[in-house]
Amino acid sequence: QVQVVESGGDLVQPGGSLRLSCAAAGIFFSIYTMGWYRQAPGKQRELVATITTGGSTNYADSVKGRFTISRDNVKNTLYLQMSGLKPEDTAIYYCKADTTVGGYRTYWGQGTQVTVSS
């Protein structure tokens, strides 16, 4: 059974830092491109950052220089280190796993809430 589970969301003050984790089970983690997405109330889900199987990263302009995506293929875990948090970063953050190896498959987690407020 495939499981993709985010954790680490919290209430944090503007300018603060937070690290999100996404633990994957039931998949061969290293062949998946992994990504973080977020959805704020009343808005569409948007890409935050992605990391390929080879470690190449891509970031939304709004988070460049503040967020860092990384992965640990031994622990089957994806991370998002967030710093310089702003109120507009408030959203539910979702983890996504994608692969085309052996056919296209994609898996989403259930999300973790990040609230940036004083």
Side-chain angles (χ1 to χ4, degrees):
Q1 183 179 358
V2 177
Q3 288 188 316
V4 177
V5 180
E6 304 94 335
S7 62
D10 205 346
L11 169 65
V12 62
Q13 292 188 343
S17 298
L18 207 57
R19 189 176 83 156
L20 305 183
S21 299
C22 169
I27 62 172
F28 190 24
F29 185 80
S30 62
I31 66 171
Y32 282 76
T33 291
M34 300 298 297
W36 288 100
Y37 294 74
R38 68 186 181 187
Q39 188 167 16
K43 295 187 176 181
Q44 289 189 330
R45 191 172 298 189
E46 63 177 4
L47 180 145
V48 175
T50 60
I51 184 167
T52 68
T53 57
S56 296
T57 58
N58 178 57
Y59 296 91
D61 288 343
S62 59
V63 307
K64 280 180 182 177
R66 300 188 299 121
F67 291 9
T68 302
I69 189 171
S70 62
R71 64 190 295 162
D72 185 330
N73 289 340
V74 174
K75 295 182 178 180
N76 287 4
T77 302
L78 176 73
Y79 301 100
L80 185 68
Q81 180 66 49
M82 305 185 291
S83 60
L85 283 161
K86 306 174 181 180
E88 51 263 42
D89 294 318
T90 295
I92 299 174
Y93 284 70
Y94 297 91
C95 174
K96 181 184 178 186
D98 276 306
T99 188
T100 58
V101 176
Y104 180 72
R105 293 181 300 282
T106 185
Y107 302 102
W108 288 91
Q110 83 292 343
T112 186
Q113 176 71 50
V114 173
T115 303
V116 185
S117 174
S118 55

